[in-house]
Amino acid sequence: MKFISFFLSLILIISFNNILSQDFSKKSIHQEQLEYYNSIGKNYSYYENLKPAIKSKEKKRSNCQLNKVVYGWHPYWVGSTYQNYEWDLLSHFSYFSYEVNPVDGSPLTTNGWNNSSAVDAALASGNTKVTLTVSLFSDHSTFFNSSSAPQNLISSLINLVQTRGAHGVNIDFEGLPSAYKQQFATFMQNLSNQMHASIPGSEVSTVLYAVDWNNVFDFTLMEPYVDQYIIMGYAYYYQGSSSTGPCDPLYQFGSTYNYTLSRTISDYLNKGCPKNKLILGLPYYGYQWPTSGNNIPSNTIGSGTAKTYKQIKNNVSGNYSQNNHFYDQDSYTDIFKFNDNGFKQCFISLDDGFRKRLEHVNTTGIGGIGIWALGYDDGYNNLWNSINDYLTNCYSDSCVNEIHDFGGPSKNYYNNEDYIWTIAPDFTWNIDVDFTFFDLELDYDYLYIYDGPNVFSPQINGSPFTGTNSPGSFTTTSGSVTFRFYSDMATTNPGFLATYNCNLSPVSSSFNNDLNISIYPNPVTNNLKIDFNSSKKKLINSDLIILNSFGKVVKKKTIENNKSIIINVEDLDSGYYFLSFNLNSKQVLPFVKY
């Protein structure tokens, strides 16, 4: 029965793929917007001379360092918005784009690559690698059947990157037919080898499609040559969709179409993409459609229009108000529905949804995120703040959260999944875990639970769990717990759902006596002063750490040779906080922020 189910599923998947793979008339957001802005007739310098938005009050940050890739595309038409980029939180800046002439590989245009002030600023940042995106959306046969075009393109790109003092290229070849699978992989090999040899330390990446309908990407041929593979994690529902839905569903939206960011990640890992090289591109935009009715979802009665994060936040029309707002708890998507000369629905991932996607990146252990497109949030810091919180060494697991399988909180998980993740909130004594639902395919799919920071820690009693044999409720013996979820190649079940709460390290009554530290004022509104008194020598080069009530690190400062330090906590929300030191992590001192 197991194998019958598998082959029936395979037939259905192949049939569905054949239906959808024929729709190569669908344009990606990259192609759609490039063609639109090219048609306007304004060049890069026009947009760079526009005044950027006035940025909202910048959050004061701790000295956090990126530990994931943040790969942002800068289309030439976003112009002066680069003046609001937070370079410390941007590992890669990719200028869009070198438009390939398929006949000979030469540029139809580079859209100002050699002279762009945005490229100048990125190069001057000292933190961000600068690459040139290379776009080819049609005439693949002309390009790949040419005896000279691929090599001409490689030589041209090396010259442009060298001349600019940049760091590499990003290949954006879209709509590739399966017939060119081998040629594309060979091109990526040759480009990578020559670029790396000519420019030591350079990087070559390629985009991946949200769904690889034609099985174009062969990682057995592209590895280990290519440096990053960036999923265009958008247009699951697109401008031409017959029904409204999320552009980038984290998990399944509705009950029919079941392609999601989570599934895409699993599919590419199963195809052989190295986990540390896989980057999840996320949209700073959504789609709005005219609809036949007011129900969510509804059938569309016209083409969708892209709406940027900035447009939704600015809300000039008044349509994106709280009264019109809904939130889908399965796909983690914001939805606005309203009547403006007819019914309209807009689907977009705003702040909470974006943070859930970053959380998923951390849980799956992939290499980081991509952004289409930089500047689409111009004037707002919210998404930068999220990147700082989740993709840097300041990240800490929440002290209270939900755990579920990779199909989301209420839908089935996917086949061929094998993930390991650890929950270890800062300054946690132990963790209470409570499974409220559990249903895996019996004796084929398993959840392993380890009482500690990795899979070498002892398993809890009863692990691994399968079928409906739930782990129930348990408390770890330390401040971390590790999970491994495995599903085989066929048959999926609803999965599992749990919550956890961490118990913070107990406050030691001897804290002040041992270290002779005083803090004031307490409660505090603006500046918190810490006097080290006689403990200064013990604490030099330690990190002073402030945690919120969920155990998350919100500030960190290295203690130098000072008798006291002052920390501005004005940007913290009102509430209870704890001050501690990495020297003595099981002792904390509470204070209140008004």
Side-chain angles (χ1 to χ4, degrees), residues 75-367:
Y76 75 86
W77 57 84
V78 299
S80 60
T81 63
Y82 72 87
Q83 296 177 45
N84 283 333
Y85 295 172
E86 297 199 26
W87 300 107
D88 288 347
L89 297 175
L90 189 62
S91 65
H92 295 73
F93 166 101
S94 197
Y95 192 78
F96 189 90
S97 71
Y98 177 119
E99 298 178 41
V100 178
N101 183 337
V103 174
D104 59 9
S106 65
L108 296 170
T109 175
T110 63
N111 288 297
W113 163 258
N114 287 327
N115 300 298
S116 165
S117 297
V119 175
D120 292 340
L123 289 169
S125 71
N127 302 295
T128 304
K129 294 182 178 180
V130 179
T131 66
L132 175 61
T133 300
V134 185
S135 58
L136 179 65
F137 301 133
S138 61
D139 293 326
H140 306 97
S141 60
T142 301
F143 177 78
F144 284 113
N145 290 329
S146 168
S147 60
S148 58
Q151 183 56 51
N152 288 344
L153 175 58
I154 292 172
S155 299
S156 177
L157 294 177
I158 291 172
N159 178 61
L160 286 169
V161 172
Q162 280 181 324
T163 302
R164 204 64 164 97
H167 306 95
V169 293
N170 168 246
I171 300 302
D172 184 9
F173 286 9
E174 299 182 26
L176 280 168
S178 57
Y180 295 102
K181 178 177 184 175
Q182 173 76 47
Q183 289 96 320
F184 178 73
T186 300
F187 169 75
M188 292 304 299
Q189 282 186 19
N190 292 335
L191 170 62
S192 299
N193 285 335
Q194 293 180 49
M195 182 73 70
H196 293 152
S198 300
I199 309 173
S202 60
E203 295 181 358
V204 175
S205 64
T206 181
V207 302
L208 303 176
Y209 311 149
V211 182
D212 185 13
W213 296 114
N214 280 351
N215 194 28
V216 169
F217 301 108
D218 191 335
F219 297 100
T220 64
L221 298 176
M222 291 190 290
E223 274 300 299
Y225 309 99
V226 177
D227 296 290
Q228 293 104 15
Y229 303 92
I230 309 173
I231 298 168
M232 295 190 294
Y234 26 88
Y236 291 86
Y237 288 78
Y238 67 107
Q239 61 269 41
S241 291
S242 59
S243 175
T244 60
C247 177
D248 61 329
L250 180 53
Y251 307 112
Q252 186 182 5
F253 172 75
S255 58
T256 52
Y257 185 70
N258 192 12
Y259 286 89
T260 66
L261 295 174
S262 179
R263 179 173 179 175
T264 296
I265 291 171
S266 294
D267 285 348
Y268 279 120
L269 292 177
N270 288 325
K271 286 174 179 285
C273 182
K275 185 176 289 188
N276 66 315
K277 292 185 178 184
L278 186 60
I279 311 300
L280 179 62
L282 295 173
Y284 280 16
Y285 74 95
Y287 276 114
Q288 179 173 300
W289 297 268
T291 60
S292 60
N294 204 31
N295 293 330
I296 299 174
S298 285
N299 291 331
T300 63
I301 57 173
S303 295
T305 303
K307 298 292 182 181
T308 66
Y309 178 94
K310 176 182 178 179
Q311 287 176 296
I312 302 301
K313 286 289 191 178
N314 284 349
N315 192 22
V316 173
S317 68
N319 291 325
Y320 312 115
S321 66
Q322 193 60 39
N323 288 338
N324 294 336
H325 179 261
F326 300 84
Y327 191 71
D328 181 61
Q329 295 287 350
D330 287 332
S331 63
Y332 293 107
T333 304
D334 297 89
I335 305 169
F336 296 90
K337 67 172 186 175
F338 49 90
N339 193 323
D340 184 1
N341 294 317
F343 293 121
K344 304 282 196 314
Q345 290 183 16
C346 179
F347 285 66
I348 188 170
S349 298
L350 297 177
D351 303 340
D352 290 343
F354 184 69
R355 295 173 81 88
K356 289 297 293 187
R357 285 153 178 77
L358 300 188
E359 181 181 292
H360 190 79
V361 167
N362 284 334
T363 301
T364 56
I366 62 173

Side-chain angles (χ1 to χ4, degrees), residues 388-490:
N388 182 75
D389 290 344
Y390 280 84
L391 304 184
T392 69
N393 57 3
C394 290
Y395 172 74
S396 175
D397 290 309
S398 173
C399 200
V400 179
N401 209 344
E402 187 177 73
I403 308 167
H404 53 69
D405 59 82
F406 292 83
S410 65
K411 303 294 174 63
N412 286 18
Y413 53 85
Y414 297 108
N415 290 318
N416 293 319
E417 293 187 324
D418 192 351
Y419 289 111
I420 297 171
W421 72 103
T422 297
I423 296 170
D426 287 336
F427 301 95
T428 296
W429 193 253
N430 54 31
I431 303 172
D432 297 324
V433 183
D434 180 26
F435 277 80
T436 56
F437 181 84
F438 196 87
D439 185 357
L440 307 185
E441 185 191 12
L442 181 64
D443 294 333
Y444 288 100
D445 302 337
Y446 295 91
L447 179 67
Y448 300 77
I449 304 178
Y450 303 87
D451 188 4
N454 52 52
V455 295
F456 301 107
S457 304
Q459 295 186 54
I460 71 167
N461 187 38
S463 176
F465 299 91
T466 187
T468 56
N469 177 30
S470 173
S473 299
F474 62 91
T475 299
T476 64
T477 60
S478 69
S480 59
V481 59
T482 299
F483 300 89
R484 179 192 174 195
F485 176 67
Y486 169 83
S487 64
D488 71 349
M489 63 191 302

Side-chain angles (χ1 to χ4, degrees), residues 515 532-542 559-562 583:
L515 295 178
F532 298 115
N533 304 319
S534 62
S535 64
K536 179 181 66 175
K537 291 183 180 179
K538 299 179 184 178
L539 295 172
I540 289 176
N541 296 324
S542 297
I559 300 169
E560 298 175 348
N561 191 18
N562 300 318
L583 176 70

Side-chain angles (χ1 to χ4, degrees), residues 538-567:
K538 299 179 184 178
L539 295 172
I540 289 176
N541 296 324
S542 297
D543 284 334
L544 183 150
I545 298 167
I546 295 178
L547 306 94
N548 63 18
S549 58
F550 294 107
K552 181 178 180 60
V553 173
V554 293
K555 283 187 180 292
K556 183 186 293 186
K557 185 178 180 68
T558 299
I559 300 169
E560 298 175 348
N561 191 18
N562 300 318
K563 292 183 179 180
S564 65
I565 60 174
I566 295 175
I567 295 183

